[in-house]
Amino acid sequence: VPMIVILLGAHIYLPDGIVRDPSVSFDGGKIVFSMRKNFDDSFKLYEYDVATKKIRQLTFLEDVSDINPAYLPSGEIVFSSTRASKYCACNRHIMCNLYKCDKDGFNIVQIGNSIEFENGASVMEDGRILYTRWEYVDRNFSGAQGLWTCNPDGTRHALYWGQETNNAALDGVDLGGGRVLAVLGSCHDKPWGALAVIDRNIDVEGKHSVAKIFPEYAIKLVDIPDKWSDSMKNVKLKFQYPSVFDENTAAVSRQIAERSRQTILELVDLHTGAETVVAKSKS
């Protein structure tokens, strides 16, 4: 299916291309994203300038994937990359670590070095990076993907939530006050599931620290005591890719129907669970 990328007036026609992971700068003037132009290309980082409507390429290394970029308060960009060249311990998935570069894509430095996967970086109110860390050290199989934090320079990697909880914790974003919004999913599924408000003031593990969850019935699927649990596969309409407007409202993608790849973009009230459709995909 031909892809036309439209970024506030910039048009790119990509017959075999894929664009993913847009992230807006703190001043709203730029958008960084990952793109591959065709099937033979690898994902690289690009930046769109809102004022000039121009797109420039930031990373250039062939045969690696640079994905999931996010701006840091310093103006640098944190992203995930396969530059470390390794595979998952239980299959042949190519794995990523966290990296950062300056605003022009230079001075690329690896800031994460876990043995499996580091992805979904976002910036917390205190400047730390919140990310999903996939590993098997000191945890059960179903809890292999938890939320971790680190400083922008790569120091003080530490567990945030979910070391032993039997769900994958994905795409965490800070709500402030020790609360984060994340997708609770399954290890053996696409990166989607229930949308959860996690309150770390209560605990760093378990069902009781999930303050809100959408849909509400999904609370019964949290941390089922079965080390092989993929319980969130039972969520009928799964959420993914949350983005927070404020502590009360999030934008999130959601399946339009069971077993469908078609999605809608919604605003979700994090107090009431009310959903407002913003946009609907055509395929």
Side-chain angles (χ1 to χ4, degrees), residues 44-159:
K44 301 175 182 66
L45 300 187
Y46 294 80
E47 185 178 65
Y48 170 73
D49 187 289
V50 174
T52 65
K53 296 182 171 57
K54 292 183 179 179
I55 294 174
R56 62 171 180 157
Q57 186 171 342
L58 298 180
T59 61
F60 295 86
L61 188 61
E62 296 296 333
D63 300 322
V64 302
S65 290
D66 296 333
I67 59 174
N68 285 111
Y71 289 100
L72 296 173
S74 63
E76 298 170 303
I77 297 169
V78 59
F79 62 100
S80 296
S81 179
T82 62
R83 291 166 183 259
S85 187
K86 62 183 181 179
Y87 294 87
C88 176
C90 64
N91 55 42
R92 292 182 180 271
H93 291 169
I94 299 175
M95 307 302 272
C96 287
N97 285 112
L98 290 181
Y99 288 74
K100 72 172 182 177
C101 62
D102 66 23
K103 64 180 181 179
D104 296 314
F106 300 131
N107 300 315
I108 295 173
V109 179
Q110 185 173 348
I111 61 171
N113 196 29
S114 68
I115 61 173
E116 299 293 344
F117 194 80
E118 301 162 345
N119 193 37
S122 64
V123 179
M124 305 182 74
E125 282 189 339
D126 61 9
R128 286 180 297 165
I129 296 169
L130 178 68
Y131 68 97
T132 293
R133 178 168 166 139
W134 175 0
E135 64 168 65
Y136 300 120
V137 178
D138 294 332
R139 64 179 64 193
N140 59 55
F141 185 84
S142 292
Q145 299 176 39
L147 296 176
W148 282 59
T149 61
C150 71
N151 292 330
D153 63 359
T155 59
R156 296 185 66 84
H157 286 264
L159 172 70

Side-chain angles (χ1 to χ4, degrees), residues 170-187:
L170 311 168
D171 296 324
V173 286
D174 193 13
L175 290 171
R179 297 160 70 245
V180 298
L181 183 68
V183 170
L184 296 185
S186 299
C187 185

Side-chain angles (χ1 to χ4, degrees), residues 211-257:
K212 292 276 188 178
I213 195 165
F214 311 102
E216 290 185 354
Y217 66 79
I219 193 65
K220 297 179 181 179
L221 306 174
V222 178
D223 202 23
I224 295 175
D226 173 4
K227 67 178 181 179
W228 299 105
S229 173
D230 278 339
S231 60
M232 290 301 170
K233 286 184 176 181
N234 294 312
V235 173
K236 293 181 180 180
L237 300 178
K238 299 176 180 67
F239 293 93
Q240 61 184 158
Y241 307 132
S243 179
V244 172
F245 284 110
D246 54 44
E247 64 177 6
N248 301 317
T249 310
V252 63
S253 177
R254 182 178 64 79
Q255 280 179 289
I256 196 169

